[in-house]
Amino acid sequence: MNTYSSYSDKELFDLLKNGNRNAFAEIYDRYWALLYKHAYRLIKDQDLAQDVVQEVFVSLWDKIKAIDLQFSISSYLYTAVRNKVLNLIQRDKVKNNYIESLANFVASSEAITDYRLREGLLKEKIEKEVAALPSKMRQVFEMSRIQNMSHKQIAEELNLSDKTVKKQMSNAIKILRLKLGGFLILSILLKLL
């Protein structure tokens, strides 16, 4: 029986290039624990470290014919583990960035939808209460808040005194404040209209 434990890495690699499974088994036994420790130091996860090392050995077996060894087999294996870990970290980073971006989008779109719904309901309520004002008061209020006309401009256009316009506005605001539930909603009203 041929014992491969006495072979050098170079001899094992040459046998492996020719498809020798025993040479592969010896390389695997020789380096698996060391590569696992190396991978674990880099990613601090036992299962992932095992997966990385397994993938490196599978890749070694699958691509052995194409591998042109520049240095030692140990250098090749350590580099392969490091690259797999870096790819894993990069893939997780991209995945985490995507998940975070998606979560932010969902949160902001829910907030926007909720805001728009509340804004629409509030605007509808405001329009209803403004429409319920006495006609002259409503006209003065709409000219002030919707058309952005000054009290003086409204007074001139409606042929009223400046005091009457101010009184109509004051009364309209009082009524709306009572109907819409407080100064906070009124301040929103004044911004929306």
Side-chain angles (χ1 to χ4, degrees):
M1 182 170 173
N2 197 353
T3 177
Y4 288 86
S5 59
S6 62
Y7 283 44
S8 71
D9 284 354
K10 173 75 171 112
E11 291 169 320
L12 289 172
F13 183 77
D14 290 340
L15 291 169
L16 180 60
K17 273 279 218 192
N18 293 318
N20 187 310
R21 292 180 184 272
N22 292 326
F24 178 80
E26 179 59 32
I27 292 170
Y28 184 91
D29 290 341
R30 200 175 279 186
Y31 288 104
W32 194 95
L34 295 170
L35 294 174
Y36 168 78
K37 286 178 187 175
H38 180 59
Y40 181 76
R41 265 195 311 263
L42 296 171
I43 53 179
K44 307 286 190 258
D45 183 306
Q46 292 178 349
D47 293 335
L48 281 176
Q50 288 177 1
D51 290 347
V52 164
V53 174
Q54 286 304 113
E55 286 178 27
V56 165
F57 278 109
V58 167
S59 179
L60 174 66
W61 180 258
D62 289 345
K63 298 177 182 177
I64 190 63
K65 299 281 188 206
I67 295 173
D68 182 27
L69 203 60
Q70 300 291 323
F71 302 102
S72 66
I73 187 73
S74 62
S75 295
Y76 172 83
L77 292 171
Y78 275 99
T79 301
V81 165
R82 187 194 72 221
N83 290 340
K84 286 264 187 218
V85 167
L86 291 175
N87 288 341
L88 183 67
I89 290 169
Q90 183 63 33
R91 187 178 71 224
D92 283 349
K93 190 175 185 181
V94 167
K95 183 174 78 176
N96 289 340
N97 287 344
Y98 174 76
I99 289 170
E100 185 178 322
S101 172
L102 186 59
N104 289 338
F105 172 76
V106 167
S108 68
S109 66
E110 283 176 3
I112 290 168
T113 302
D114 187 44
Y115 171 76
R116 286 187 180 152
L117 178 63
R118 281 185 281 130
E119 179 184 30
L121 291 172
L122 180 60
K123 195 168 187 175
E124 192 176 296
K125 176 79 169 149
I126 291 167
E127 288 170 358
K128 180 182 170 195
E129 293 302 333
V130 168
L133 291 172
S135 64
K136 188 59 88 176
M137 190 182 294
R138 183 182 72 242
Q139 186 179 16
V140 169
F141 183 83
E142 288 175 343
M143 291 173 85
S144 172
R145 296 299 183 231
I146 296 173
Q147 297 173 19
N148 295 318
M149 294 174 72
S150 70
H151 290 177
K152 185 176 181 181
Q153 291 171 322
I154 296 168
E156 287 173 7
E157 187 165 320
L158 296 178
N159 203 19
L160 299 171
S161 72
D162 200 30
K163 284 185 181 182
T164 303
V165 171
K166 286 180 186 176
K167 185 68 175 164
Q168 291 287 347
M169 278 301 297
S170 176
N171 289 340
I173 290 171
K174 283 179 189 173
I175 291 169
L176 291 172
R177 195 178 285 159
L178 285 171
K179 300 262 185 174
L180 296 171
F183 183 74
L184 178 62
I185 292 181
L186 183 59
S187 67
I188 292 170
L189 159 81
L190 297 176
K191 288 179 185 174
L192 290 176
L193 293 178

mmCIF file of all heavy atoms in Angstrom, residues 56-103:
data_model
loop_
_atom_site.group_PDB
_atom_site.id
_atom_site.type_symbol
_atom_site.label_atom_id
_atom_site.label_comp_id
_atom_site.label_asym_id
_atom_site.label_seq_id
_atom_site.Cartn_x
_atom_site.Cartn_y
_atom_site.Cartn_z
ATOM 1 N N VAL A 56 -13.579 25.473 -1.312
ATOM 2 C CA VAL A 56 -12.210 25.584 -1.831
ATOM 3 C C VAL A 56 -11.719 24.221 -2.312
ATOM 4 O O VAL A 56 -11.145 24.104 -3.397
ATOM 5 C CB VAL A 56 -11.256 26.187 -0.768
ATOM 6 C CG1 VAL A 56 -9.797 25.976 -1.146
ATOM 7 C CG2 VAL A 56 -11.554 27.667 -0.581
ATOM 8 N N PHE A 57 -11.974 23.176 -1.537
ATOM 9 C CA PHE A 57 -11.519 21.836 -1.941
ATOM 10 C C PHE A 57 -12.309 21.315 -3.153
ATOM 11 O O PHE A 57 -11.736 20.684 -4.042
ATOM 12 C CB PHE A 57 -11.580 20.849 -0.776
ATOM 13 C CG PHE A 57 -10.382 20.947 0.114
ATOM 14 C CD1 PHE A 57 -10.487 21.478 1.384
ATOM 15 C CD2 PHE A 57 -9.123 20.524 -0.319
ATOM 16 C CE1 PHE A 57 -9.372 21.580 2.204
ATOM 17 C CE2 PHE A 57 -8.007 20.619 0.488
ATOM 18 C CZ PHE A 57 -8.129 21.160 1.751
ATOM 19 N N VAL A 58 -13.590 21.596 -3.218
ATOM 20 C CA VAL A 58 -14.381 21.193 -4.384
ATOM 21 C C VAL A 58 -13.841 21.907 -5.627
ATOM 22 O O VAL A 58 -13.671 21.290 -6.689
ATOM 23 C CB VAL A 58 -15.884 21.498 -4.169
ATOM 24 C CG1 VAL A 58 -16.666 21.388 -5.478
ATOM 25 C CG2 VAL A 58 -16.470 20.567 -3.121
ATOM 26 N N SER A 59 -13.583 23.198 -5.479
ATOM 27 C CA SER A 59 -13.044 23.974 -6.589
ATOM 28 C C SER A 59 -11.672 23.440 -7.014
ATOM 29 O O SER A 59 -11.377 23.358 -8.212
ATOM 30 C CB SER A 59 -12.950 25.440 -6.184
ATOM 31 O OG SER A 59 -12.407 26.215 -7.221
ATOM 32 N N LEU A 60 -10.866 23.081 -6.046
ATOM 33 C CA LEU A 60 -9.538 22.518 -6.347
ATOM 34 C C LEU A 60 -9.697 21.259 -7.188
ATOM 35 O O LEU A 60 -9.023 21.105 -8.217
ATOM 36 C CB LEU A 60 -8.775 22.198 -5.053
ATOM 37 C CG LEU A 60 -7.435 21.480 -5.211
ATOM 38 C CD1 LEU A 60 -6.426 22.383 -5.927
ATOM 39 C CD2 LEU A 60 -6.894 21.044 -3.857
ATOM 40 N N TRP A 61 -10.584 20.373 -6.796
ATOM 41 C CA TRP A 61 -10.784 19.123 -7.531
ATOM 42 C C TRP A 61 -11.340 19.393 -8.931
ATOM 43 O O TRP A 61 -10.874 18.823 -9.904
ATOM 44 C CB TRP A 61 -11.709 18.187 -6.750
ATOM 45 C CG TRP A 61 -11.942 16.894 -7.471
ATOM 46 C CD1 TRP A 61 -13.037 16.549 -8.188
ATOM 47 C CD2 TRP A 61 -11.028 15.808 -7.587
ATOM 48 N NE1 TRP A 61 -12.882 15.307 -8.743
ATOM 49 C CE2 TRP A 61 -11.652 14.825 -8.382
ATOM 50 C CE3 TRP A 61 -9.741 15.568 -7.103
ATOM 51 C CZ2 TRP A 61 -11.027 13.614 -8.693
ATOM 52 C CZ3 TRP A 61 -9.134 14.366 -7.420
ATOM 53 C CH2 TRP A 61 -9.772 13.404 -8.200
ATOM 54 N N ASP A 62 -12.335 20.284 -9.004
ATOM 55 C CA ASP A 62 -12.983 20.562 -10.288
ATOM 56 C C ASP A 62 -12.068 21.276 -11.271
ATOM 57 O O ASP A 62 -12.172 21.068 -12.489
ATOM 58 C CB ASP A 62 -14.243 21.423 -10.082
ATOM 59 C CG ASP A 62 -15.376 20.655 -9.432
ATOM 60 O OD1 ASP A 62 -15.320 19.403 -9.400
ATOM 61 O OD2 ASP A 62 -16.327 21.315 -8.946
ATOM 62 N N LYS A 63 -11.178 22.130 -10.781
ATOM 63 C CA LYS A 63 -10.372 22.976 -11.670
ATOM 64 C C LYS A 63 -8.892 22.594 -11.695
ATOM 65 O O LYS A 63 -8.074 23.357 -12.205
ATOM 66 C CB LYS A 63 -10.507 24.438 -11.231
ATOM 67 C CG LYS A 63 -11.916 24.961 -11.323
ATOM 68 C CD LYS A 63 -12.016 26.377 -10.816
ATOM 69 C CE LYS A 63 -13.440 26.867 -10.875
ATOM 70 N NZ LYS A 63 -13.600 28.205 -10.338
ATOM 71 N N ILE A 64 -8.562 21.443 -11.173
ATOM 72 C CA ILE A 64 -7.143 21.079 -11.030
ATOM 73 C C ILE A 64 -6.381 21.125 -12.354
ATOM 74 O O ILE A 64 -5.225 21.544 -12.401
ATOM 75 C CB ILE A 64 -6.984 19.695 -10.346
ATOM 76 C CG1 ILE A 64 -5.515 19.445 -9.971
ATOM 77 C CG2 ILE A 64 -7.528 18.583 -11.206
ATOM 78 C CD1 ILE A 64 -4.968 20.419 -8.968
ATOM 79 N N LYS A 65 -7.039 20.751 -13.438
ATOM 80 C CA LYS A 65 -6.347 20.739 -14.739
ATOM 81 C C LYS A 65 -5.966 22.156 -15.181
ATOM 82 O O LYS A 65 -4.955 22.345 -15.850
ATOM 83 C CB LYS A 65 -7.237 20.107 -15.810
ATOM 84 C CG LYS A 65 -7.613 18.678 -15.549
ATOM 85 C CD LYS A 65 -6.495 17.743 -15.908
ATOM 86 C CE LYS A 65 -7.017 16.306 -15.814
ATOM 87 N NZ LYS A 65 -5.975 15.370 -15.540
ATOM 88 N N ALA A 66 -6.767 23.143 -14.784
ATOM 89 C CA ALA A 66 -6.518 24.520 -15.211
ATOM 90 C C ALA A 66 -5.596 25.278 -14.259
ATOM 91 O O ALA A 66 -5.134 26.367 -14.586
ATOM 92 C CB ALA A 66 -7.847 25.270 -15.330
ATOM 93 N N ILE A 67 -5.321 24.713 -13.096
ATOM 94 C CA ILE A 67 -4.511 25.421 -12.097
ATOM 95 C C ILE A 67 -3.039 25.309 -12.453
ATOM 96 O O ILE A 67 -2.494 24.213 -12.623
ATOM 97 C CB ILE A 67 -4.776 24.867 -10.676
ATOM 98 C CG1 ILE A 67 -6.213 25.134 -10.263
ATOM 99 C CG2 ILE A 67 -3.802 25.510 -9.667
ATOM 100 C CD1 ILE A 67 -6.615 24.481 -8.952
ATOM 101 N N ASP A 68 -2.420 26.472 -12.570
ATOM 102 C CA ASP A 68 -0.974 26.533 -12.803
ATOM 103 C C ASP A 68 -0.363 27.059 -11.515
ATOM 104 O O ASP A 68 -0.443 28.259 -11.235
ATOM 105 C CB ASP A 68 -0.684 27.466 -13.987
ATOM 106 C CG ASP A 68 0.799 27.539 -14.302
ATOM 107 O OD1 ASP A 68 1.525 26.569 -14.010
ATOM 108 O OD2 ASP A 68 1.221 28.578 -14.837
ATOM 109 N N LEU A 69 0.197 26.174 -10.741
ATOM 110 C CA LEU A 69 0.682 26.529 -9.414
ATOM 111 C C LEU A 69 1.956 27.366 -9.523
ATOM 112 O O LEU A 69 2.972 26.915 -10.033
ATOM 113 C CB LEU A 69 0.942 25.242 -8.622
ATOM 114 C CG LEU A 69 0.926 25.338 -7.125
ATOM 115 C CD1 LEU A 69 -0.424 25.831 -6.634
ATOM 116 C CD2 LEU A 69 1.211 23.971 -6.509
ATOM 117 N N GLN A 70 1.870 28.616 -9.049
ATOM 118 C CA GLN A 70 3.015 29.522 -9.066
ATOM 119 C C GLN A 70 3.873 29.343 -7.809
ATOM 120 O O GLN A 70 5.083 29.498 -7.871
ATOM 121 C CB GLN A 70 2.525 30.982 -9.124
ATOM 122 C CG GLN A 70 1.686 31.304 -10.347
ATOM 123 C CD GLN A 70 2.514 31.299 -11.618
ATOM 124 O OE1 GLN A 70 3.658 31.719 -11.623
ATOM 125 N NE2 GLN A 70 1.932 30.813 -12.694
ATOM 126 N N PHE A 71 3.202 29.074 -6.714
ATOM 127 C CA PHE A 71 3.913 28.917 -5.438
ATOM 128 C C PHE A 71 3.583 27.544 -4.877
ATOM 129 O O PHE A 71 3.398 26.607 -5.630
ATOM 130 C CB PHE A 71 3.509 30.042 -4.469
ATOM 131 C CG PHE A 71 3.791 31.418 -5.026
ATOM 132 C CD1 PHE A 71 2.770 32.199 -5.559
ATOM 133 C CD2 PHE A 71 5.083 31.927 -5.030
ATOM 134 C CE1 PHE A 71 3.034 33.450 -6.084
ATOM 135 C CE2 PHE A 71 5.356 33.181 -5.554
ATOM 136 C CZ PHE A 71 4.329 33.950 -6.088
ATOM 137 N N SER A 72 3.423 27.448 -3.582
ATOM 138 C CA SER A 72 3.117 26.155 -2.967
ATOM 139 C C SER A 72 1.609 25.920 -2.957
ATOM 140 O O SER A 72 0.816 26.851 -3.103
ATOM 141 C CB SER A 72 3.649 26.130 -1.532
ATOM 142 O OG SER A 72 2.939 27.067 -0.740
ATOM 143 N N ILE A 73 1.222 24.662 -2.756
ATOM 144 C CA ILE A 73 -0.197 24.330 -2.663
ATOM 145 C C ILE A 73 -0.815 25.013 -1.449
ATOM 146 O O ILE A 73 -1.960 25.452 -1.491
ATOM 147 C CB ILE A 73 -0.426 22.788 -2.630
ATOM 148 C CG1 ILE A 73 -1.916 22.429 -2.710
ATOM 149 C CG2 ILE A 73 0.148 22.171 -1.382
ATOM 150 C CD1 ILE A 73 -2.526 22.631 -4.045
ATOM 151 N N SER A 74 -0.052 25.150 -0.363
ATOM 152 C CA SER A 74 -0.583 25.804 0.835
ATOM 153 C C SER A 74 -0.889 27.283 0.546
ATOM 154 O O SER A 74 -1.932 27.800 0.957
ATOM 155 C CB SER A 74 0.369 25.669 2.011
ATOM 156 O OG SER A 74 1.593 26.302 1.746
ATOM 157 N N SER A 75 -0.004 27.953 -0.177
ATOM 158 C CA SER A 75 -0.253 29.357 -0.548
ATOM 159 C C SER A 75 -1.504 29.469 -1.404
ATOM 160 O O SER A 75 -2.338 30.369 -1.209
ATOM 161 C CB SER A 75 0.916 29.946 -1.325
ATOM 162 O OG SER A 75 2.052 30.015 -0.515
ATOM 163 N N TYR A 76 -1.624 28.543 -2.354
ATOM 164 C CA TYR A 76 -2.797 28.546 -3.218
ATOM 165 C C TYR A 76 -4.076 28.369 -2.393
ATOM 166 O O TYR A 76 -5.052 29.100 -2.566
ATOM 167 C CB TYR A 76 -2.687 27.433 -4.276
ATOM 168 C CG TYR A 76 -3.962 27.274 -5.063
ATOM 169 C CD1 TYR A 76 -4.231 28.093 -6.155
ATOM 170 C CD2 TYR A 76 -4.914 26.310 -4.699
ATOM 171 C CE1 TYR A 76 -5.417 27.963 -6.858
ATOM 172 C CE2 TYR A 76 -6.101 26.187 -5.402
ATOM 173 C CZ TYR A 76 -6.347 27.011 -6.486
ATOM 174 O OH TYR A 76 -7.524 26.900 -7.180
ATOM 175 N N LEU A 77 -4.083 27.408 -1.479
ATOM 176 C CA LEU A 77 -5.275 27.113 -0.676
ATOM 177 C C LEU A 77 -5.614 28.270 0.273
ATOM 178 O O LEU A 77 -6.785 28.640 0.412
ATOM 179 C CB LEU A 77 -5.085 25.807 0.103
ATOM 180 C CG LEU A 77 -5.019 24.539 -0.761
ATOM 181 C CD1 LEU A 77 -4.612 23.331 0.088
ATOM 182 C CD2 LEU A 77 -6.348 24.286 -1.461
ATOM 183 N N TYR A 78 -4.602 28.835 0.923
ATOM 184 C CA TYR A 78 -4.852 29.974 1.827
ATOM 185 C C TYR A 78 -5.423 31.172 1.051
ATOM 186 O O TYR A 78 -6.357 31.840 1.495
ATOM 187 C CB TYR A 78 -3.576 30.391 2.562
ATOM 188 C CG TYR A 78 -3.317 29.594 3.814
ATOM 189 C CD1 TYR A 78 -2.425 28.532 3.798
ATOM 190 C CD2 TYR A 78 -3.963 29.905 5.001
ATOM 191 C CE1 TYR A 78 -2.186 27.791 4.941
ATOM 192 C CE2 TYR A 78 -3.735 29.175 6.153
ATOM 193 C CZ TYR A 78 -2.839 28.110 6.116
ATOM 194 O OH TYR A 78 -2.623 27.383 7.253
ATOM 195 N N THR A 79 -4.883 31.424 -0.118
ATOM 196 C CA THR A 79 -5.368 32.520 -0.948
ATOM 197 C C THR A 79 -6.807 32.251 -1.401
ATOM 198 O O THR A 79 -7.651 33.154 -1.395
ATOM 199 C CB THR A 79 -4.450 32.725 -2.174
ATOM 200 O OG1 THR A 79 -3.121 33.005 -1.706
ATOM 201 C CG2 THR A 79 -4.931 33.861 -3.054
ATOM 202 N N ALA A 80 -7.076 31.003 -1.764
ATOM 203 C CA ALA A 80 -8.432 30.641 -2.202
ATOM 204 C C ALA A 80 -9.433 30.841 -1.059
ATOM 205 O O ALA A 80 -10.539 31.350 -1.274
ATOM 206 C CB ALA A 80 -8.453 29.201 -2.693
ATOM 207 N N VAL A 81 -9.052 30.455 0.167
ATOM 208 C CA VAL A 81 -9.931 30.650 1.327
ATOM 209 C C VAL A 81 -10.163 32.139 1.556
ATOM 210 O O VAL A 81 -11.305 32.582 1.754
ATOM 211 C CB VAL A 81 -9.351 29.966 2.588
ATOM 212 C CG1 VAL A 81 -10.049 30.451 3.850
ATOM 213 C CG2 VAL A 81 -9.456 28.462 2.464
ATOM 214 N N ARG A 82 -9.086 32.911 1.542
ATOM 215 C CA ARG A 82 -9.228 34.352 1.755
ATOM 216 C C ARG A 82 -10.149 34.980 0.711
ATOM 217 O O ARG A 82 -11.031 35.775 1.031
ATOM 218 C CB ARG A 82 -7.855 35.025 1.729
ATOM 219 C CG ARG A 82 -7.948 36.518 2.132
ATOM 220 C CD ARG A 82 -6.714 37.305 1.809
ATOM 221 N NE ARG A 82 -6.652 37.467 0.361
ATOM 222 C CZ ARG A 82 -5.554 37.370 -0.363
ATOM 223 N NH1 ARG A 82 -4.410 37.137 0.190
ATOM 224 N NH2 ARG A 82 -5.584 37.515 -1.664
ATOM 225 N N ASN A 83 -9.967 34.604 -0.553
ATOM 226 C CA ASN A 83 -10.810 35.158 -1.617
ATOM 227 C C ASN A 83 -12.275 34.757 -1.463
ATOM 228 O O ASN A 83 -13.177 35.559 -1.688
ATOM 229 C CB ASN A 83 -10.277 34.745 -2.987
ATOM 230 C CG ASN A 83 -8.967 35.443 -3.317
ATOM 231 O OD1 ASN A 83 -8.627 36.474 -2.731
ATOM 232 N ND2 ASN A 83 -8.206 34.874 -4.240
ATOM 233 N N LYS A 84 -12.505 33.499 -1.086
ATOM 234 C CA LYS A 84 -13.894 33.051 -0.854
ATOM 235 C C LYS A 84 -14.531 33.845 0.280
ATOM 236 O O LYS A 84 -15.691 34.233 0.201
ATOM 237 C CB LYS A 84 -13.935 31.563 -0.512
ATOM 238 C CG LYS A 84 -13.698 30.653 -1.664
ATOM 239 C CD LYS A 84 -14.998 30.190 -2.243
ATOM 240 C CE LYS A 84 -14.723 29.133 -3.291
ATOM 241 N NZ LYS A 84 -15.586 29.228 -4.428
ATOM 242 N N VAL A 85 -13.775 34.066 1.354
ATOM 243 C CA VAL A 85 -14.297 34.831 2.491
ATOM 244 C C VAL A 85 -14.598 36.265 2.061
ATOM 245 O O VAL A 85 -15.658 36.812 2.387
ATOM 246 C CB VAL A 85 -13.314 34.802 3.682
ATOM 247 C CG1 VAL A 85 -13.686 35.831 4.741
ATOM 248 C CG2 VAL A 85 -13.262 33.400 4.291
ATOM 249 N N LEU A 86 -13.684 36.877 1.319
ATOM 250 C CA LEU A 86 -13.912 38.248 0.848
ATOM 251 C C LEU A 86 -15.140 38.327 -0.059
ATOM 252 O O LEU A 86 -15.936 39.264 0.042
ATOM 253 C CB LEU A 86 -12.678 38.781 0.127
ATOM 254 C CG LEU A 86 -11.451 39.037 1.012
ATOM 255 C CD1 LEU A 86 -10.256 39.450 0.162
ATOM 256 C CD2 LEU A 86 -11.742 40.072 2.071
ATOM 257 N N ASN A 87 -15.314 37.328 -0.932
ATOM 258 C CA ASN A 87 -16.505 37.292 -1.788
ATOM 259 C C ASN A 87 -17.772 37.141 -0.957
ATOM 260 O O ASN A 87 -18.789 37.771 -1.243
ATOM 261 C CB ASN A 87 -16.412 36.150 -2.803
ATOM 262 C CG ASN A 87 -15.396 36.420 -3.890
ATOM 263 O OD1 ASN A 87 -14.997 37.556 -4.114
ATOM 264 N ND2 ASN A 87 -14.945 35.372 -4.547
ATOM 265 N N LEU A 88 -17.689 36.306 0.059
ATOM 266 C CA LEU A 88 -18.833 36.091 0.950
ATOM 267 C C LEU A 88 -19.187 37.377 1.683
ATOM 268 O O LEU A 88 -20.359 37.762 1.750
ATOM 269 C CB LEU A 88 -18.496 34.978 1.955
ATOM 270 C CG LEU A 88 -19.571 34.546 2.914
ATOM 271 C CD1 LEU A 88 -20.704 33.857 2.167
ATOM 272 C CD2 LEU A 88 -18.992 33.611 3.957
ATOM 273 N N ILE A 89 -18.188 38.055 2.197
ATOM 274 C CA ILE A 89 -18.406 39.320 2.904
ATOM 275 C C ILE A 89 -18.993 40.355 1.950
ATOM 276 O O ILE A 89 -19.954 41.052 2.288
ATOM 277 C CB ILE A 89 -17.092 39.829 3.549
ATOM 278 C CG1 ILE A 89 -16.703 38.921 4.714
ATOM 279 C CG2 ILE A 89 -17.237 41.278 4.005
ATOM 280 C CD1 ILE A 89 -15.294 39.164 5.248
ATOM 281 N N GLN A 90 -18.443 40.450 0.746
ATOM 282 C CA GLN A 90 -18.942 41.411 -0.242
ATOM 283 C C GLN A 90 -20.380 41.091 -0.623
ATOM 284 O O GLN A 90 -21.214 41.981 -0.718
ATOM 285 C CB GLN A 90 -18.045 41.411 -1.489
ATOM 286 C CG GLN A 90 -18.449 42.428 -2.526
ATOM 287 C CD GLN A 90 -18.354 43.864 -2.022
ATOM 288 O OE1 GLN A 90 -17.512 44.199 -1.221
ATOM 289 N NE2 GLN A 90 -19.246 44.709 -2.487
ATOM 290 N N ARG A 91 -20.679 39.807 -0.837
ATOM 291 C CA ARG A 91 -22.037 39.402 -1.198
ATOM 292 C C ARG A 91 -23.016 39.746 -0.070
ATOM 293 O O ARG A 91 -24.096 40.275 -0.310
ATOM 294 C CB ARG A 91 -22.077 37.903 -1.501
ATOM 295 C CG ARG A 91 -23.417 37.434 -2.047
ATOM 296 C CD ARG A 91 -23.412 35.959 -2.381
ATOM 297 N NE ARG A 91 -23.381 35.193 -1.155
ATOM 298 C CZ ARG A 91 -22.613 34.137 -0.934
ATOM 299 N NH1 ARG A 91 -21.798 33.708 -1.868
ATOM 300 N NH2 ARG A 91 -22.652 33.492 0.206
ATOM 301 N N ASP A 92 -22.615 39.477 1.176
ATOM 302 C CA ASP A 92 -23.464 39.810 2.325
ATOM 303 C C ASP A 92 -23.646 41.314 2.461
ATOM 304 O O ASP A 92 -24.720 41.789 2.797
ATOM 305 C CB ASP A 92 -22.891 39.235 3.623
ATOM 306 C CG ASP A 92 -23.146 37.745 3.753
ATOM 307 O OD1 ASP A 92 -23.937 37.202 2.947
ATOM 308 O OD2 ASP A 92 -22.567 37.123 4.657
ATOM 309 N N LYS A 93 -22.579 42.055 2.186
ATOM 310 C CA LYS A 93 -22.663 43.519 2.268
ATOM 311 C C LYS A 93 -23.643 44.045 1.231
ATOM 312 O O LYS A 93 -24.490 44.888 1.528
ATOM 313 C CB LYS A 93 -21.269 44.117 2.051
ATOM 314 C CG LYS A 93 -21.154 45.574 2.345
ATOM 315 C CD LYS A 93 -19.702 45.994 2.210
ATOM 316 C CE LYS A 93 -19.504 47.430 2.614
ATOM 317 N NZ LYS A 93 -18.120 47.852 2.474
ATOM 318 N N VAL A 94 -23.551 43.530 0.012
ATOM 319 C CA VAL A 94 -24.469 43.940 -1.052
ATOM 320 C C VAL A 94 -25.896 43.550 -0.680
ATOM 321 O O VAL A 94 -26.822 44.346 -0.826
ATOM 322 C CB VAL A 94 -24.057 43.305 -2.408
ATOM 323 C CG1 VAL A 94 -25.147 43.450 -3.452
ATOM 324 C CG2 VAL A 94 -22.762 43.922 -2.903
ATOM 325 N N LYS A 95 -26.059 42.315 -0.160
ATOM 326 C CA LYS A 95 -27.386 41.849 0.236
ATOM 327 C C LYS A 95 -27.943 42.712 1.366
ATOM 328 O O LYS A 95 -29.095 43.132 1.322
ATOM 329 C CB LYS A 95 -27.317 40.383 0.680
ATOM 330 C CG LYS A 95 -28.671 39.788 1.054
ATOM 331 C CD LYS A 95 -28.566 38.305 1.351
ATOM 332 C CE LYS A 95 -27.993 38.119 2.728
ATOM 333 N NZ LYS A 95 -27.930 36.744 3.174
ATOM 334 N N ASN A 96 -27.119 43.013 2.362
ATOM 335 C CA ASN A 96 -27.561 43.857 3.479
ATOM 336 C C ASN A 96 -27.903 45.269 3.015
ATOM 337 O O ASN A 96 -28.883 45.851 3.475
ATOM 338 C CB ASN A 96 -26.503 43.901 4.582
ATOM 339 C CG ASN A 96 -26.396 42.589 5.325
ATOM 340 O OD1 ASN A 96 -27.314 41.773 5.298
ATOM 341 N ND2 ASN A 96 -25.274 42.366 5.972
ATOM 342 N N ASN A 97 -27.091 45.815 2.111
ATOM 343 C CA ASN A 97 -27.387 47.141 1.567
ATOM 344 C C ASN A 97 -28.705 47.125 0.808
ATOM 345 O O ASN A 97 -29.506 48.056 0.910
ATOM 346 C CB ASN A 97 -26.265 47.627 0.646
ATOM 347 C CG ASN A 97 -25.026 48.027 1.418
ATOM 348 O OD1 ASN A 97 -25.069 48.230 2.616
ATOM 349 N ND2 ASN A 97 -23.915 48.136 0.711
ATOM 350 N N TYR A 98 -28.931 46.055 0.051
ATOM 351 C CA TYR A 98 -30.184 45.941 -0.698
ATOM 352 C C TYR A 98 -31.367 45.840 0.258
ATOM 353 O O TYR A 98 -32.376 46.517 0.079
ATOM 354 C CB TYR A 98 -30.137 44.722 -1.621
ATOM 355 C CG TYR A 98 -31.439 44.465 -2.320
ATOM 356 C CD1 TYR A 98 -31.835 45.249 -3.403
ATOM 357 C CD2 TYR A 98 -32.287 43.455 -1.895
ATOM 358 C CE1 TYR A 98 -33.038 45.034 -4.036
ATOM 359 C CE2 TYR A 98 -33.504 43.240 -2.525
ATOM 360 C CZ TYR A 98 -33.860 44.018 -3.598
ATOM 361 O OH TYR A 98 -35.055 43.798 -4.217
ATOM 362 N N ILE A 99 -31.241 44.994 1.279
ATOM 363 C CA ILE A 99 -32.323 44.821 2.252
ATOM 364 C C ILE A 99 -32.592 46.127 2.986
ATOM 365 O O ILE A 99 -33.743 46.530 3.166
ATOM 366 C CB ILE A 99 -31.988 43.681 3.239
ATOM 367 C CG1 ILE A 99 -32.067 42.337 2.508
ATOM 368 C CG2 ILE A 99 -32.918 43.695 4.445
ATOM 369 C CD1 ILE A 99 -31.530 41.164 3.294
ATOM 370 N N GLU A 100 -31.524 46.824 3.377
ATOM 371 C CA GLU A 100 -31.691 48.105 4.076
ATOM 372 C C GLU A 100 -32.358 49.136 3.160
ATOM 373 O O GLU A 100 -33.261 49.854 3.575
ATOM 374 C CB GLU A 100 -30.326 48.616 4.528
ATOM 375 C CG GLU A 100 -30.384 49.868 5.357
ATOM 376 C CD GLU A 100 -29.003 50.310 5.830
ATOM 377 O OE1 GLU A 100 -28.190 49.447 6.171
ATOM 378 O OE2 GLU A 100 -28.763 51.525 5.844
ATOM 379 N N SER A 101 -31.925 49.165 1.908
ATOM 380 C CA SER A 101 -32.514 50.094 0.951
ATOM 381 C C SER A 101 -33.991 49.776 0.726
ATOM 382 O O SER A 101 -34.833 50.674 0.691
ATOM 383 C CB SER A 101 -31.761 50.009 -0.377
ATOM 384 O OG SER A 101 -32.410 50.752 -1.370
ATOM 385 N N LEU A 102 -34.300 48.501 0.610
ATOM 386 C CA LEU A 102 -35.690 48.091 0.423
ATOM 387 C C LEU A 102 -36.530 48.439 1.642
ATOM 388 O O LEU A 102 -37.642 48.948 1.508
ATOM 389 C CB LEU A 102 -35.753 46.585 0.144
ATOM 390 C CG LEU A 102 -37.110 45.998 -0.206
ATOM 391 C CD1 LEU A 102 -37.676 46.664 -1.456
ATOM 392 C CD2 LEU A 102 -36.994 44.500 -0.411
ATOM 393 N N ALA A 103 -35.989 48.199 2.838
ATOM 394 C CA ALA A 103 -36.712 48.532 4.070
ATOM 395 C C ALA A 103 -36.961 50.039 4.165
ATOM 396 O O ALA A 103 -38.057 50.467 4.543
ATOM 397 C CB ALA A 103 -35.925 48.041 5.291
#
